[in-house]
């Protein structure tokens, strides 16, 4: 009978010693959640059993996440606020800005302990942590993770950057200060990460009102971390500067750190044209791509949200001048869809009349199937994008999220005209091939299809998923040393979409992933971020040379010009 080596939760030191003692002995793999480690074993020992760490518990038995909030010098920050944000949807949790599920403050040494509701652990919920303190900018963990994992860690550390505050100035198109406007930070950048929506509970911390000089100051905030800004004013209603704007415009060294233009506005009077059995009291969201001279185009938006009355009428007294789109909050499982006009403009000082027909949509049905067997693929998620989002491509707001049934079919109601199918699932066993061989038919968000206007139901051509091939390899520099934390991409051919999506290399330069069998990578590239401890990290791109195919070893070659 094979011998058995057991390692208890308290035997971490023993396990570490075991690793050091038997470094030359072949290893077995131990899995823990999504991670795995190779642990050497003695000769004759064929099985290692590791009791995984359990969430920490207080004297009363309640589990908790604990750790420290530190400054850049590693000193604890006293009185810092720490909040737990729980993801509502693991598949789409990157930028949720909901209310905290729990909050606490750090002690004099910067330590915190955040008790967890037992139900969150039982339901295997995911979440993240935020921290903020007076004199420091807000920060959150770079990713969303399992609460069980966070609670089992000895300490979850958050590091804050000193921040005196941010001062902004608002001016109108005549370069006059805009007084009495409310300015609010909507998204904040985190070093080595992306922009994150400010949690609802903290939104008032990062807002201020402009004085007669057009200036507003937001304390304890880093100007370089600004990623989206909202302005509410009598002049133009609501205007937002998005994250693309802040990729192009950086803060000044001295205050005011930013100067923002509040564009001139017009107004909108609209009506929903629908039958008596159509839904009433609908929420209508209007958006303009604002005309902002001397500023990067497509980055500044006028936004308004109204509810139609019993006659389908609605009115927006102030909306920034620019190209107009509208979106209605319609139940995805009911047939009504809006025929939103495109290419309409709101002119400064004028009233735009807007009529939106509300009609029964066409029920489109499609099949996601396995290419090799013809069987439908169940549980595959995709978005059916329609209306202005499939025409002018400013956003993907006009869409219906669907999932295939047990037979691989999906269905959605859409208005006649172009639609685009954005395939969101990426299972390990099958991948779609829509970006190659002309299958996308010119789509921007996904595969483009045309829905006729003289039908009530329409069958879409089936979409085939190809069996996948597992690829793993190692990335090295020109001296053969492994490269850690690089991102590797593989392409079936020149000027083609990647089939091996960006995968980070581990500490030993290894990477692995899955590709559709008909489109194996022939060309390899890698991205690497430098100056990571900045809000403006630089991404360097490199061509890769194949120096071995079995095993696959890629060597970093010449830089690629951006």
């Amino acid at each position: 009978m094979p011998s058995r080596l057991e390692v208890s939760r308290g035997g971490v030191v023993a396990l570490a010693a075991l690793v050091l003692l038997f470094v030359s002995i072949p290893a077995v793999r131990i899995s823990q959640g999504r991670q795995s480690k190779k642990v050497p074993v003695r000769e004759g020992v064929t099985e290692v059993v590791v009791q995984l760490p359990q969430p920490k518990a207080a004297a009363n038995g309640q589990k908790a996440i604990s750790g420290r909030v530190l400054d850049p010098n590693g000193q604890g920050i006293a009185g810092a606020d720490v909040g737990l944000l729980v993801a509502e949807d693991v598949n789409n949790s990157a930028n949720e800005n909901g209310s905290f599920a729990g909050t606490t403050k750090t002690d004099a040494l910067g330590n915190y302990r955040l008790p967890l509701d037992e139900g969150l652990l039982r339901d295997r919920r995911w979440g993240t942590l935020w921290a903020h303190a007076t004199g420091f900018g807000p920060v959150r963990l770079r990713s969303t993770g399992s609460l069980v994992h966070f609670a089992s860690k000895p300490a979850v550390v958050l590091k804050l950057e000193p921040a005196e505050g941010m001062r902004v100035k608002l001016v109108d198109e005549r370069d006059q200060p805009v007084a009495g406007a409310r300015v609010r930070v909507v998204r904040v950048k985190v070093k080595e990460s992306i922009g994150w929506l400010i949690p609802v509970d903290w939104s008032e911390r990062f807002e201020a009102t402009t004085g007669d000089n057009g200036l507003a100051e937001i304390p304890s905030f880093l100007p370089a971390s600004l990623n989206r800004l909202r302005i509410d004013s009598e002049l133009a209603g609501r205007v937002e500067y998005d994250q693309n704007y802040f990729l192009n415009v950086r803060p000044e060294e001295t205050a005011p750190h930013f100067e923002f233009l509040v564009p001139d506005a017009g107004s909108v009077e609209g009506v929903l044209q629908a039958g008596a059995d159509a839904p009433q009291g609908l929420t209508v969201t209007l958006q303009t791509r604002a005309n902002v001279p001397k500023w990067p185009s497509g980055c500044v938006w006028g936004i308004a949200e109204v509810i139609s009355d019993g006659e389908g009428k609605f009115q927006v007294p102030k909306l920034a001048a620019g190209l107009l789109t509208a979106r209605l909050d319609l139940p995805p499982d009911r047939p009504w869809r809006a025929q939103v006009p495109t290419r309409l403009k709101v002119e400064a000082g004028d009233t735009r009349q807007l009529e939106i027909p509300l009609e029964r949509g066409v029920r489109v049905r499609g099949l996601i199937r396995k290419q090799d067997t013809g069987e439908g693929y169940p549980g595959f998620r995709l978005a059916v994008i329609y209306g202005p989002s499939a025409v002018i491509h400013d956003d993907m707001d006009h869409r219906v999220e669907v999932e295939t049934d047990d037979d691989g079919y999906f269905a959605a109601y859409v208005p006649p005209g172009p639609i685009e199918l954005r395939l969101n699932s990426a299972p390990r066993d099958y991948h779609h091939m829509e970006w190659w061989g002309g299958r996308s038919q010119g789509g921007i968000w996904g595969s483009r299809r045309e829905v006729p206007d003289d039908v009530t139901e329409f069958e879409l051509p089936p979409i085939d998923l190809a069996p996948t091939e597992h690829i793993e390899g190692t990335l090295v520099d020109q001296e053969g040393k492994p490269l850690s934390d690089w991102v590797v991409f593989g392409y079936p051919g020149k000027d083609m979409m990647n089939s091996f999506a960006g995968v980070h290399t581990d500490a030993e330069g290894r990477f692995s992933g899955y590709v559709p069998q008909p489109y194996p990578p022939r060309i390899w590239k890698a991205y690497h971020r430098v100056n990571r401890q900045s809000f403006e990290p630089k991404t360097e791109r490199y061509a890769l040379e194949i120096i071995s195919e079995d095993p696959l070893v890629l060597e970093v070659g010449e830089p690629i010009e951006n």
Side-chain angles (χ1 to χ4, degrees):
M1 208 177 148
S3 61
R4 186 175 168 94
L5 174 65
E6 295 201 8
V7 182
S8 69
R9 185 177 60 171
V12 176
V13 175
L15 180 60
L18 193 65
V19 173
L20 293 174
L21 185 61
F22 299 104
V23 291
S24 63
I25 305 299
V28 299
R29 187 172 295 276
I30 300 176
S31 294
Q32 176 177 347
R34 295 186 177 183
Q35 299 179 341
S36 61
K37 297 180 180 179
K38 286 186 176 180
V39 180
V41 295
R42 293 190 300 270
E43 185 175 354
V45 177
T46 58
E47 183 180 2
V48 173
V49 178
V50 176
Q51 295 180 7
L52 299 180
Q54 298 298 312
K56 299 178 295 297
N60 62 3
Q62 186 177 16
K63 307 297 190 300
I65 300 174
S66 59
R68 298 190 74 196
V69 178
L70 307 176
D71 67 16
N73 297 319
Q75 299 300 309
I77 300 174
D81 290 308
V82 180
L84 170 66
L85 195 65
V86 176
E88 293 300 322
D89 178 5
V90 173
N91 293 316
N92 188 28
S93 60
N95 270 310
E96 294 197 33
N97 64 333
S99 298
F100 289 128
T103 59
T104 190
K105 282 184 176 290
T106 58
D107 64 16
L109 299 178
N111 300 304
Y112 71 87
R113 185 177 183 282
L114 216 164
L116 289 174
D117 182 273
E118 190 64 35
L120 296 177
L121 297 172
R122 183 179 59 251
D123 296 341
R124 315 294 293 184
R125 297 292 293 276
W126 286 46
T128 193
L129 293 175
W130 281 83
H132 183 234
T134 301
F136 295 86
V139 73
R140 61 151 276 175
L141 296 177
R142 289 186 296 167
S143 61
T144 302
S146 163
L147 298 186
V148 172
H149 171 69
F150 287 144
S152 67
K153 295 184 68 173
V156 180
V157 176
L158 296 107
K159 294 183 178 181
L160 303 187
E161 295 287 331
E164 293 183 3
M166 177 178 69
R167 180 174 289 189
V168 302
K169 183 176 183 179
L170 306 186
V171 298
D172 62 20
E173 294 197 24
R174 288 148 293 282
D175 205 31
Q176 296 301 303
V178 178
R182 198 68 177 161
V183 178
R184 172 180 288 188
V185 175
V186 177
R187 287 167 58 116
V188 59
K189 279 190 290 188
V190 176
K191 287 185 176 180
E192 301 187 52
S193 188
I194 60 174
W196 305 97
L197 292 168
I198 293 287
V200 170
D201 297 340
W202 284 359
S203 59
E204 293 185 1
R205 293 188 180 200
F206 307 109
E207 66 177 21
T209 301
T210 58
D212 293 340
N213 56 4
L215 293 172
E217 185 168 358
I218 297 175
S220 301
F221 188 83
L222 280 167
S225 70
L226 183 58
N227 195 235
R228 189 177 185 105
L229 186 80
R230 175 180 298 164
I231 302 168
D232 289 299
S233 69
E234 292 185 3
L235 177 63
R238 175 162 293 178
V239 173
E240 291 194 0
Y241 281 71
D242 71 13
Q243 54 268 31
N244 292 318
Y245 177 87
F246 296 103
L247 288 175
N248 295 281
V249 179
R250 305 305 302 150
E252 298 291 340
E253 292 293 331
T254 58
H257 301 99
F258 291 98
E259 182 175 285
F260 296 105
L261 177 70
V262 180
D264 288 342
S267 61
V268 178
E269 292 180 353
V271 61
L272 305 180
Q273 298 176 328
D277 55 343
Q280 303 293 318
L282 295 174
T283 299
V284 183
T285 302
L286 302 173
Q287 180 174 283
T288 54
R289 186 194 296 170
N291 302 326
V292 183
K294 298 185 295 185
W295 266 260
S297 62
C299 301
V300 186
W301 307 90
I303 300 171
E305 188 176 282
V306 293
I307 298 177
S308 62
D309 63 19
E311 297 178 345
K313 295 180 180 180
F314 58 90
Q315 186 175 19
V316 177
K318 294 289 184 180
L319 187 63
L323 188 65
L324 174 67
T325 60
R327 184 179 75 253
L328 273 69
D329 185 14
L330 292 163
D333 57 345
R334 296 187 62 188
W336 295 98
R337 290 293 175 266
Q339 286 278 27
V340 179
T342 59
R343 310 299 179 184
L344 297 180
K345 288 185 177 181
V346 174
E347 303 289 352
D350 289 343
T351 298
R352 159 59 64 184
Q353 299 295 327
L354 178 62
E355 297 179 351
I356 303 178
L358 198 60
E359 302 173 352
R360 290 184 179 275
V362 177
R363 185 180 185 272
V364 296
R365 191 180 79 141
L367 172 64
I368 308 290
R369 67 186 183 186
K370 301 175 183 179
Q371 183 188 48
D372 51 348
T373 68
E375 295 176 285
Y377 199 101
F380 196 98
R381 294 178 294 107
L382 66 153
V384 183
I385 301 168
Y386 63 88
S389 294
V391 176
I392 59 178
H393 298 103
D394 268 346
D395 53 49
M396 289 188 287
D397 289 344
H398 297 81
R399 71 182 188 274
V400 181
E401 301 280 352
V402 295
E403 184 173 314
T404 57
D405 62 19
D406 291 343
D407 297 317
Y409 285 96
F410 66 90
Y413 290 99
V414 296
I419 63 171
E420 296 188 13
L421 305 176
R422 186 174 183 84
L423 307 181
N424 294 326
S425 287
R428 289 187 173 185
D429 52 353
Y430 285 85
H431 279 188
H432 76 81
M433 304 172 288
E434 294 300 288
W435 293 120
W436 305 285
R439 295 179 180 87
S440 66
Q441 299 182 27
I444 302 297
W445 306 122
S447 299
R448 190 175 182 86
R449 303 289 187 266
E450 193 74 24
V451 178
D453 59 6
D454 56 352
V455 297
T456 58
E457 295 187 353
F458 184 67
E459 196 78 15
L460 298 168
I463 293 176
D464 287 327
L465 305 179
T468 58
E469 174 186 351
H470 183 243
I471 292 179
E472 57 183 18
T474 304
L475 180 67
V476 299
D477 63 16
Q478 295 181 359
E479 296 180 354
K481 297 178 180 179
L483 294 172
S484 171
D485 204 21
W486 284 56
V487 184
V488 178
F489 294 83
Y491 303 79
K494 186 178 180 182
D495 299 325
M496 297 178 73
M497 174 69 76
N498 65 74
S499 59
F500 187 87
V503 174
H504 286 261
T505 58
D506 66 13
E508 298 177 5
R510 296 173 303 191
F511 59 89
S512 66
Y514 296 83
V515 299
Q517 287 181 2
Y519 295 95
R522 307 296 184 192
I523 299 172
W524 293 92
K525 299 178 184 179
Y527 295 179
H528 180 57
R529 278 194 166 186
V530 295
N531 195 24
R532 296 176 67 95
Q533 293 299 317
S534 165
F535 289 104
E536 301 178 72
K538 180 182 178 183
T539 299
E540 296 181 341
R541 296 168 171 81
Y542 293 85
L544 302 181
E545 181 180 347
I546 301 174
I547 60 175
S548 169
E549 292 197 2
D550 188 16
L552 178 62
V553 179
L554 304 176
E555 181 182 274
V556 171
E558 296 299 318
I560 300 173
E561 293 295 329
N562 293 333

